[in-house]
Amino acid sequence: MAMITPSRLGRAVKWFITGNPAQRRRVRQELARVAAAAFGDFPISDDYKLWREDKQFLDDFNRMSPGNPYSQDRKWTLREYVKLSNALPGDLAECGCYVGTSAFFTAQASTHGKLYLFDSFEGLSDPDATDKDIDADVMPWTAGDLCTSEAVLRNNLAPYGDSIVVLPGWIPDRFHEVANRQFRVVHIDVDLYQPTRDSLEFFYPRLVKGGVIVMDDYGFKTCPGATRAAEELAATQGISILHLATGQGVITKV
């Protein structure tokens, strides 16, 4: 962060009071960066990204996740992968749906195939030792976290009901019901080691050529088990994981 000097502060005050829209926006962004830096390692990224001008996307996101803007970039990224996959054959799947925000954007962007959704609707299972290997400043997961109801999910996804199949249950108990399907996009967002590993081991062999697995939790200190599961699969299969700045990890079937 640039040093705050009397001249810079004076210019900021002037811009905020009498400046043009671009100058006032710049002041607001710098104030956000100062506040973030004052309370810890909470970086504010560059402004003026084009995807932030997509009003329909932001309206849909805010309706699905009111008061929770933190994963906007991940939802946008997942939707872009779904769009790219429309040139491929196959279905789509999601492991860990919560209230259905990711599934909403997946269904919205998809042009063909079914979207199969897997969730316990009882929250997370018991974290194991790998999941608990976190730094002292990280909040640990506990069994039952992120619990929601199937009714909430179905209500949120009502506009896409014909293209969605909900398979409630603990992962991987119902995977066998899609064992004969091929997939072009699989989204994994289950936070913990064992369900992540089970999901990867089942779906990777069923990806079509060019298909992708998008892992929501791969690059987060809060989810060491999910990271380990992905890296174990990569080592076993001799494949690479694309680590995105959003925190997602992407595996592409070649």
Side-chain angles (χ1 to χ4, degrees):
M1 185 177 64
M3 182 181 297
I4 299 176
T5 63
S7 62
R8 287 173 63 87
L9 183 59
R11 184 180 66 179
V13 171
K14 180 180 178 181
W15 280 5
F16 192 74
I17 296 173
T18 64
N20 60 41
Q23 290 169 334
R24 290 197 296 271
R25 181 172 180 144
R26 177 64 179 272
V27 173
R28 293 198 304 271
Q29 186 184 50
E30 291 304 316
L31 287 173
R33 286 174 171 159
V34 169
F39 288 97
D41 183 20
F42 306 110
I44 305 295
S45 66
D46 289 331
D47 201 1
Y48 301 109
K49 293 175 181 175
L50 291 176
W51 71 266
R52 294 284 306 160
E53 302 298 317
D54 187 335
K55 186 177 184 301
Q56 185 61 60
F57 168 80
L58 295 176
D59 286 347
D60 288 340
F61 183 92
N62 291 332
R63 185 182 68 256
M64 295 289 294
S65 296
N68 177 28
Y70 306 110
S71 66
Q72 287 178 348
D73 56 351
R74 282 177 278 153
K75 301 301 186 287
W76 174 273
T77 300
L78 173 62
R79 193 178 72 165
E80 292 300 293
Y81 272 107
V82 174
K83 289 179 180 179
L84 285 174
S85 80
N86 284 331
L88 302 173
D91 295 311
L92 309 97
E94 180 171 69
C95 304
C97 310
Y98 195 44
V99 299
T101 308
S102 295
F104 177 90
F105 288 113
T106 298
Q108 183 186 72
S110 176
T111 60
H112 63 277
K114 293 286 188 180
L115 171 57
Y116 294 92
L117 303 179
F118 299 88
D119 200 291
S120 69
F121 300 105
E122 297 182 45
L124 299 182
S125 55
D126 287 320
D128 66 16
T130 302
D131 302 309
K132 296 176 182 178
D133 185 18
I134 55 177
D135 293 344
D137 63 347
V138 176
M139 291 287 289
W141 294 115
T142 59
D145 283 347
L146 304 176
C147 182
T148 189
S149 73
E150 183 179 345
V152 169
L153 176 83
R154 289 187 179 278
N155 181 66
N156 286 336
L157 300 180
Y160 304 105
D162 291 343
S163 64
I164 290 172
V165 179
V166 182
L167 297 170
W170 292 104
I171 289 171
D173 290 352
R174 301 195 66 177
F175 283 176
H176 68 277
E177 297 179 44
V178 297
N180 64 339
R181 313 297 298 181
Q182 293 289 300
F183 296 88
R184 54 191 169 97
V185 174
V186 178
H187 183 229
I188 300 177
D189 184 8
V190 289
D191 302 288
L192 305 179
Y193 172 78
Q194 194 59 54
T196 300
R197 178 158 183 161
D198 290 338
S199 300
L200 288 168
E201 289 181 345
F202 179 84
F203 282 104
Y204 180 73
R206 291 171 173 82
L207 280 184
V208 300
K209 185 176 181 180
V212 296
I213 295 176
V214 181
M215 298 172 286
D216 193 80
D217 315 313
Y218 173 73
F220 286 86
K221 292 171 63 177
T222 51
C223 301
T227 306
R228 176 181 170 184
E231 292 179 346
E232 286 176 350
L233 177 83
T236 300
Q237 298 290 335
I239 58 178
S240 298
I241 300 172
L242 177 62
H243 186 180
L244 304 182
T246 59
Q248 293 159 301
V250 180
I251 293 172
T252 303
K253 190 73 168 286
V254 295

